[in-house]
Amino acid sequence: MNSFSFLLANRRSMRKFTEEKLTEEQKKTILRAALISPTAKNNRGWEFITVEDPDALRKLSLSREMGSGFLAEAVFAVVVLGKSAENDCWVEDCSIAAIDMQLQAEDLGLGSCWCHMRGRANAEGKPTRQTIAEMFGVPEEYEPLCIVGFGHKNMERKPYEDGKIDWSKVHKGRF
Ligand SMILES: Cc1cc2nc3c(=O)[nH]c(=O)nc-3n(C[C@H](O)[C@H](O)[C@H](O)COP(=O)(O)O)c2cc1C
């Protein structure tokens, strides 16, 4: 395993994937990362829907007006949902689960990208929440935050360079 600092700098959003499928072990390892991620008050209120069917991935790629096209190329995707009305930290809980899956994928040498779903709609104005509920039979109380698409990398992405980090974002003691 690479060092964690190396992994953080090398995790770049991947939107181009080869056709090679993920192994069952790889998928399980990614989902494990989500299931052991921290949640507020340890509520563990999130749910995850796995998607591998190419037709479903294509449909999801059209579920937003823009920004979701890459899902058509992904070989595996995970819809991350939370109980938006009941859990005031559902966005935080789901976000942490999503990024932990992305970091785990990077550690496996795989690429991934976050596709945002909350509050989005397709080109005809149909909410992504409705599209996802219809496709996967999601109960009313669950709202999708995002879909993370995964696959084998098929695009060159440069790692973050220490020399280009904007340290002015950090305020020592006072903004
Ligand atoms: C909250 C959030 C929403 C994002 N939504 C999308 C999206 O809908 N489509 C997409 O292609 N990338 C999306 N991304 C990926 C960002 O565009 C990407 O992380 C950013 O450009 C920085 O690039 P990097 O991931 O390579 O460091 C999202 C990332 C975050 C954290």
Side-chain angles (χ1 to χ4, degrees), residues 147-171:
I147 301 175
V148 186
F150 301 92
H152 289 266
K153 299 178 188 181
N154 197 14
M155 183 187 165
E156 197 69 46
R157 293 291 330 252
K158 288 202 172 80
Y160 284 97
E161 291 174 34
D162 278 348
K164 292 187 180 167
I165 292 174
D166 181 5
W167 288 97
S168 74
K169 297 282 184 190
V170 179
H171 309 277

Side-chain angles (χ1 to χ4, degrees), residues 61-69 120-126 128:
S61 78
L62 300 171
S63 66
R64 277 186 46 197
E65 196 171 0
M66 59 167 104
S68 51
R120 301 293 192 266
N122 72 5
E124 288 77 44
K126 181 175 175 177
T128 52

